[in-house]
Amino acid sequence: MSNEFLDRHIGPSAEDITSMLNSINCKTVDEVVVKTVPESILFGNRMDVDEGLTERDSLELATKLAGENILATNFIGQGYYGTLMPSVIQRNILENPGWYTAYTPYQAEISQGRLEMLLNFQQMIIDLTGMDISNASLLDEPTACAEAMMMAKRANRKNKSNRFLIDSNTNAQTITILQTRAKPLGIELVIEEIQNNDFSDCFAALMQSPGTNGEVRDLSSDIAKAKDNGVLTIVACDVLALTLIKTPAEMGADIAVGNSQRFGVPMGFGGPHAAYLATRDEFKRMVPGRLIGVSQDVLGNPAMRMSLQTREQHIRRDKATSNICTAQVLLAVLAAAYGIYHGAAGLKKIASKVHTKAASLAASLKAAGFELATEQFFDTITINTDAASALFAQAQQAGINLRLLNDTQLSIAIDEATTKAELLNLLGVFSVSELIDSEGILSENMMRQTEYLTHSVFSDYHSETEMMRYLKRLENKDIALNHSMIALGSCTMKLNAATQMYPISLPGFSKLHPYAPTEQTKGYQQLFKDLEHSLCEVTGYDAVSLQPNAGSQGEFAGLLAIHAYHDSRGDAHRNICLIPSSAHGTNPASAIMAGMKVVIVKCDEAGNIDINDLKAKVEKHADNLSAIMVTYPSTHGVFEVEIKQICDIIHTNGGQVYLDGANLNAMVGVTRMGEFGADVSHINLHKTFAIPHGGGGPGMGPIGVKAHLAEFLPGDPLEKDSNAVSAAMYGSASILPISWSYIKLLGKYGMQRSTEVAIVSANYIADALAQSFPILYRGDQGMVAHECIIDIRPLKEQSGISEEDIAKRLMDYGFHSPTMSFPVAGTLMIEPTESESKREMDRFITAMTSIHDEIQKVIDGRWDKDNNPLKNAPHTAYEMSGEWTYPYTRQEALYPVESLVANKYFPPVKRIDNVYGDRNLFCSCITTEDFA
Ligand SMILES: *Cc1c(COP(=O)(O)O)cnc(C)c1O
């Protein structure tokens, strides 16, 4: 069972594992597993998955599959466009672990680099849309439309209507996703033409600019009329078009949404891409998704962090207004970098070229007698022709993808990457031989009059040298996996191997349009089939949908499947969702979105689900029981012995078991949820299956189901009423090769070994730390699963030092904090994963032990209660330069342990004041004058 890659993936060596086993008093790895996983669910490795490949063979196979996808010339458009990613961005961000292995910026002091880039993204969207405030990414354009719909419902309380109007000139995928999201909330969708609509009975209206057929319209008078009727307006906008045409703000809209894909991000057969939502100042406290704001650190220097509900979303649980957790940070960073590198003039030039290419094409077709359906357009023209289908087929023969809008209309979309040769080829299909030059056709009253991207960040970095250094400067401000271990419990920050990452840059995977004909996507289809099979084998489920593009979306899709199943059996009234108090915030938030009622089940002293309370709640709600959402192993980091019984109780009472699969890294090759009683789960591919966290996204959250739920999995987003949850059939398809490669490289045995080592390492860390910090929960044989929770509350009681002080102090030691106060307030949850070496874990243990000694000094009165290195953490390099006023030494502050001498990280700011930032909400780029 030798596997070359396995030794690269697993951090500890064989000797290290032996030594760890010694310290946890176990003889073998098997013994650890047997003591940790309940016997009743320990099935052994039953996965029908091949043994691992070498890195060379895996790459070769991926390259072969990419080669089986056909790269046609795309004129499909419909929200996805060919792009040219500047090489400086590809090399320094997309292919740079300093950016892609970072975590979500909850610990703001060590995340200033990516926070600055996200602030740039917000500023860019604010400028382009003309709105006052923008969030820092949503999952895709249709879900952004859905979030906007929900936000408008909340913002427009006065309007009692339950109807949401959608302009008929809107992308099909947007309409489908809105259907999926509106139905459980009891919102009725009305699809009509916006022009001359009387807006008589609806709370909000969505329109698209340009329309799905490419038409550029001045929506001002429609929006004004909506406003007169007390109706809020949402405009879905194209970011590139906005550099030339009137903004939604100029037209009077309340909310602007869209996708930033065409700012240098490849189509990737559907994603990932960063969507956005921008709005007027008066709605700023209702914005869904992450919002980056400028606050200050304790010295009064500007410092960024996530603001408002962005931090509250999970805490608010069933009161949460959105279930978004993992979003699209890396993609927002890429789009912002594109905007920065090109600047206002550069973007305008790109947009003008796209427009004149489209105008030339239109002029040439018109001269040949073709009739245009769109008078005003930016990049997409629609022609009326009885020969639409024939021309569509002819084009395909010539390797050209067009969009067949209906029997008599064809659409053609131009993008940044379209060449003159491609245009001439295309004209050939229409038997036109000459490309007529055009200067553009947009009428004066549709042209944008306002300036944008005037902040200096958008003009300072246009040379490659300056850009490269700016990106490096930001990268240096952050801690990512290329600096030190990130032991975030529940997040599984394992190795994202370069060989797994490599395939995403292959054009055969990155350049496909999500709506390309199936004949062109055979390589992808093979990869999906393979991945679906492996995920079924890993989980014991019968079918998998690769559509949900985050765990939260998987939860939503899974709950919809459960509801549809009940409905099919005449049980549509079943709407109670039981959720243990320890659940992740997305669970209750998703249940609410799925139209369910949340009933909380208590946990007992040992952290397990309180079976008596469960029985009582089940009995009380038996008639209406829809599901339980349970995380396994639990968010408390233990394998509950009663899991089978829990599943039985639910099933006996007519309910379904949704098992949150975020902790799958503790189960692969050891047990299978599909076999011990679960009906459906999401699988966070960005946790267990090696997709990097990207600083807070992208991720993927496919769901696995037992056979009886298979027919209720999400369908095609281009088909109405299909229960689709993402804009593309396979969600963020272009990152699936990462997880596919992970499985190919590790294989059947390697995946099992990874689970085992993850459990051994977690127990090693738990036992080592237990000497300083109590371990909150353990299984019945004293073991933890793949993570452990240390309780800070007793120490805090004695010393006044909180879990947050420890988190900030760890920064001085060069570490990212473990998960703070989830699932229990006043604790830290630590998950080492199988990829961390014993040496690195020991460094972490040394840091934590040293911090414990520091706390002891506070308790003993050797250090001041308030003025000590813990309360004052983190310490910056800049502080060293001035007069040293602290009652402890510089060495104690900055180099508390020896190993830092060789590898010291300096946080760029001191501790950040969150309250100040929320009170003085400031969410755009700052100038020094601004901040003063
Ligand atoms: C990460 C996580 C989720 C949410 O997944 P996302 O991919 O971030 O949406 C849900 N439940 C648990 C227990 C998690 O750890």
Side-chain angles (χ1 to χ4, degrees):
M1 292 208 223
S2 85
N3 172 334
E4 275 173 39
F5 177 73
L6 184 57
D7 291 338
R8 306 288 187 198
H9 177 72
I10 302 277
S13 66
E15 297 82 63
D16 289 338
I17 291 175
T18 308
S19 132
M20 291 197 292
L21 288 171
N22 271 334
S23 26
I24 60 175
N25 289 319
C26 287
K27 295 214 168 46
T28 60
V29 169
D30 279 348
E31 184 188 340
V32 176
V33 173
V34 168
K35 280 172 128 177
T36 306
V37 185
E39 201 192 337
S40 59
I41 62 165
L42 199 55
F43 304 128
N45 189 344
R46 299 197 202 173
M47 302 186 294
D48 171 26
V49 174
D50 293 340
E51 291 304 343
L53 298 180
T54 62
E55 293 185 60
R56 173 191 174 149
D57 287 350
S58 170
L59 259 183
E60 219 164 76
L61 191 54
T63 309
K64 180 173 159 280
L65 288 179
E68 284 167 21
N69 289 327
I70 296 170
L71 290 173
T73 312
N74 271 308
F75 295 97
I76 301 176
Q78 198 175 348
Y80 301 91
Y81 305 88
T83 56
L84 302 172
M85 177 183 285
S87 299
V88 63
I89 294 175
Q90 175 163 349
R91 186 150 284 202
N92 291 282
I93 304 178
L94 182 66
E95 297 173 353
N96 176 356
W99 284 95
Y100 67 69
T101 68
Y103 180 64
T104 311
Y106 285 112
Q107 296 293 339
E109 294 83 358
I110 50 137
S111 311
Q112 291 292 301
R114 52 194 188 275
L115 284 165
E116 177 167 332
M117 212 48 160
L118 292 175
L119 197 72
N120 293 336
F121 177 83
Q122 290 179 181
Q123 181 71 61
M124 180 172 85
I125 299 300
I126 289 171
D127 283 1
L128 290 171
T129 59
M131 305 305 277
D132 301 320
I133 191 164
S134 165
N135 69 5
S137 87
L138 287 169
L139 290 166
D140 60 20
E141 180 167 319
T143 54
C145 291
E147 295 286 341
M149 170 178 77
M150 284 157 58
M151 177 180 147
K153 188 88 187 90
R154 276 177 277 131
N156 204 1
R157 286 244 157 75
K158 279 187 305 213
N159 183 322
K160 298 286 178 229
S161 172
N162 244 359
R163 287 153 53 103
F164 182 73
L165 177 64
I166 307 174
D167 178 29
S168 36
N169 201 354
T170 297
N171 286 338
Q173 70 270 28
T174 298
I175 295 177
T176 307
I177 301 308
L178 284 166
Q179 286 177 323
T180 311
R181 296 280 289 261
K183 202 167 142 203
L185 302 175
I187 294 173
E188 185 191 337
L189 299 185
V190 185
I191 301 157
E192 283 173 4
E193 270 188 26
I194 210 86
Q195 281 96 349
N196 309 318
N197 202 290
D198 59 9
F199 298 95
S200 58
D201 181 15
C202 56
F203 65 89
L206 170 75
M207 45 211 99
Q208 193 180 306
S209 170
T212 193
N213 69 356
E215 177 137 37
V216 169
R217 305 163 291 176
D218 190 348
L219 300 164
S220 308
S221 60
D222 301 306
I223 289 175
K225 196 150 114 203
K227 186 164 272 169
D228 286 344
N229 280 286
V231 172
L232 291 179
T233 48
I234 304 160
V235 181
C237 316
D238 178 304
V239 281
L240 193 59
L242 285 175
T243 63
L244 294 184
I245 68 171
K246 239 183 200 171
T247 68
E250 287 170 313
M251 297 194 285
D254 297 297
I255 302 173
V257 288
N259 188 344
S260 60
Q261 181 260 320
R262 64 191 313 182
F263 277 14
V265 181
M267 289 186 278
F269 199 45
H273 317 122
Y276 64 84
L277 185 151
T279 186
R280 296 197 280 113
D281 193 62
E282 75 178 276
F283 301 126
K284 68 183 172 201
R285 285 172 199 272
M286 295 187 171
V287 173
R290 298 193 187 115
L291 187 62
I292 310 307
V294 184
S295 183
Q296 57 183 28
D297 70 6
V298 292
L299 298 180
N301 295 312
M304 289 149 278
R305 89 290 176 245
M306 297 203 277
S307 43
L308 293 178
Q309 71 277 43
T310 341
R311 293 193 320 275
E312 288 161 32
Q313 245 165 49
H314 292 184
I315 298 167
R316 296 190 62 199
R317 309 179 74 89
D318 54 328
K319 307 266 173 343
T321 47
S322 159
N323 69 342
I324 302 243
C325 181
T326 289
Q328 303 281 23
V329 169
L330 192 68
L331 297 308
V333 166
L334 289 169
Y338 179 95
I340 288 165
Y341 196 45
H342 287 300
L347 290 181
K348 192 163 182 174
K349 199 161 142 195
I350 291 166
S352 304
K353 274 192 183 162
V354 166
H355 176 60
T356 51
K357 277 184 270 185
S360 298
L361 181 70
S364 314
L365 288 171
K366 246 168 135 173
F370 286 95
E371 182 188 296
L372 291 196
T374 42
E375 208 171 298
Q376 290 280 305
F377 55 84
F378 163 60
D379 63 352
T380 301
I381 62 173
T382 293
I383 51 179
N384 297 325
T385 165
D386 289 336
S389 303
L391 286 164
F392 177 80
Q394 250 167 278
Q396 209 163 306
Q397 288 282 310
I400 296 172
N401 292 340
L402 303 179
R403 178 173 168 214
L404 190 60
L405 216 55
N406 52 51
D407 289 348
T408 58
Q409 291 192 310
L410 267 183
S411 275
I412 307 170
I414 307 299
D415 58 51
E416 178 189 14
T418 310
T419 63
K420 191 170 174 192
E422 288 170 343
L423 286 177
L424 285 168
N425 270 346
L426 170 64
L427 284 172
V429 173
F430 293 85
S431 312
V432 179
S433 57
E434 195 196 358
L435 186 62
I436 300 173
D437 274 341
S438 164
E439 300 274 280
I441 55 88
L442 283 167
S443 65
E444 199 53 35
N445 75 321
M446 272 318 297
M447 298 299 278
R448 174 174 187 143
Q449 306 298 342
T450 45
E451 280 194 305
Y452 50 90
L453 307 189
T454 54
H455 191 278
S456 60
V457 74
F458 297 106
S459 46
D460 286 350
Y461 308 112
H462 294 174
S463 80
E464 180 165 332
T465 302
E466 283 295 337
M467 184 67 178
M468 171 180 73
R469 289 186 189 143
Y470 179 53
L471 296 177
K472 178 66 179 164
R473 200 154 74 232
L474 296 185
E475 181 195 336
N476 283 349
K477 291 185 181 195
D478 292 5
I479 288 184
L481 279 177
N482 64 347
H483 181 81
S484 53
M485 76 183 282
I486 302 181
L488 279 161
S490 214
C491 302
T492 315
M493 301 289 287
K494 62 168 66 173
L495 169 74
N496 315 118
T499 297
Q500 292 151 6
M501 292 299 291
Y502 197 90
I504 66 167
S505 296
L506 296 171
F509 288 134
S510 72
K511 292 198 166 162
L512 256 62
H513 192 289
Y515 308 143
T518 328
E519 309 87 81
Q520 295 172 12
T521 65
K522 289 201 175 119
Y524 257 131
Q525 301 304 333
Q526 182 59 43
L527 185 140
F528 298 151
K529 233 175 81 189
D530 219 14
L531 183 57
E532 284 170 8
H533 170 77
S534 300
L535 294 177
C536 283
E537 287 301 317
V538 164
T539 55
Y541 284 126
D542 301 308
V544 161
S545 162
L546 295 172
Q547 190 173 109
N549 49 16
S552 60
Q553 306 306 295
E555 291 174 17
F556 178 60
L559 293 176
L560 289 185
I562 289 176
H563 180 76
Y565 168 75
H566 286 314
D567 196 11
S568 74
R569 294 156 48 97
D571 277 346
H573 60 279
R574 290 189 174 268
N575 71 339
I576 299 291
C577 188
L578 301 178
I579 301 183
S581 57
S582 60
H584 193 267
T586 51
N587 290 186
S590 299
I592 297 294
M593 276 173 50
M596 295 180 175
K597 263 168 77 178
V598 174
V599 173
I600 301 294
V601 180
K602 285 190 211 139
C603 290
D604 64 18
E605 291 277 286
N608 297 321
I609 290 180
D610 181 332
I611 298 285
N612 289 329
D613 191 50
L614 176 72
K615 282 183 179 156
K617 299 272 159 71
V618 166
E619 200 166 308
K620 181 163 174 214
H621 298 287
D623 292 345
N624 294 317
L625 180 63
S626 176
I628 189 169
M629 291 185 92
V630 51
T631 306
Y632 203 76
S634 76
T635 54
H636 289 155
V638 289
F639 282 94
E640 279 164 277
V641 179
E642 270 88 23
I643 186 68
K644 271 182 115 168
Q645 194 195 344
I646 292 171
C647 295
D648 286 347
I649 294 173
I650 299 298
H651 286 143
T652 313
N653 288 279
Q656 292 280 293
V657 176
Y658 185 101
L659 192 140
D660 181 324
N663 290 342
L664 184 55
N665 207 49
M667 298 196 283
V668 181
V670 173
T671 182
R672 305 204 283 186
M673 55 262 232
E675 276 182 75
F676 62 69
D679 299 293
V680 43
S681 296
H682 71 261
I683 305 159
N684 306 67
L685 298 186
H686 47 297
K687 295 178 180 172
T688 308
F689 293 94
I691 291 176
H693 280 68
M700 274 293 278
I703 54 175
V705 294
K706 296 295 279 182
H708 64 284
L709 294 177
E711 62 180 296
F712 307 112
L713 287 171
D716 185 346
L718 294 182
E719 264 171 42
K720 290 222 163 97
D721 290 311
S722 63
N723 266 341
V725 295
S726 301
M729 188 65 198
Y730 301 96
S732 297
S734 65
I735 54 175
L736 290 173
I738 302 171
S739 297
W740 176 89
S741 301
Y742 174 89
I743 294 169
K744 284 282 167 243
L745 283 162
L746 283 174
K748 177 185 170 97
Y749 170 71
M751 285 197 283
Q752 177 191 340
R753 184 72 179 168
S754 298
T755 305
E756 292 167 348
V757 175
I759 295 175
V760 170
S761 293
N763 279 285
Y764 172 69
I765 282 208
D767 281 8
L769 292 179
Q771 297 165 24
S772 312
F773 305 91
I775 304 298
L776 194 53
Y777 302 112
R778 288 183 184 266
D780 61 344
Q781 300 194 55
M783 308 298 282
V784 300
H786 65 314
E787 60 194 6
C788 66
I789 298 178
I790 59 173
D791 195 351
I792 309 302
R793 291 168 299 186
L795 272 175
K796 185 177 173 188
E797 188 97 330
Q798 290 179 304
S799 65
I801 302 297
S802 67
E803 69 282 5
E804 182 167 26
D805 296 327
I806 297 177
K808 303 307 173 191
R809 182 61 176 153
L810 272 169
M811 297 171 182
D812 287 335
Y813 286 80
F815 284 108
H816 189 295
S817 166
T819 302
M820 219 175 71
S821 288
F822 169 77
V824 182
T827 65
L828 294 173
M829 180 159 58
I830 301 160
E831 178 183 1
T833 84
E834 69 277 13
S835 301
E836 291 302 338
S837 66
K838 179 165 177 295
R839 193 179 339 135
E840 182 70 354
M841 286 188 279
D842 286 341
R843 244 176 31 85
F844 179 77
I845 292 164
T846 303
M848 289 299 290
T849 310
S850 169
I851 287 175
H852 178 264
D853 293 346
E854 293 178 349
I855 298 173
Q856 195 59 49
K857 283 186 187 163
V858 176
I859 295 174
D860 296 347
R862 282 180 283 159
W863 275 355
D864 185 82
K865 200 161 84 9
D866 299 311
N867 194 359
N868 59 55
L870 294 138
K871 285 286 174 200
N872 293 333
H875 296 83
T876 62
Y878 188 70
E879 277 179 285
M880 276 233 286
S881 65
E883 198 193 333
W884 190 257
T885 55
Y886 297 122
Y888 45 88
T889 68
R890 288 170 210 244
Q891 193 183 356
E892 282 173 315
L894 296 154
Y895 290 92
V897 290
E898 179 76 29
S899 64
L900 289 173
V901 176
N903 188 17
K904 174 69 185 169
Y905 162 82
F906 282 102
V909 294
K910 280 194 75 69
R911 205 176 300 189
I912 298 171
D913 185 342
N914 284 320
V915 178
Y916 176 89
D918 282 352
R919 236 180 251 141
N920 306 279
L921 193 60
F922 192 97
C923 300
S924 41
C925 286
I926 41 165
T927 61
T928 338
E929 304 91 80
D930 274 343
F931 196 73

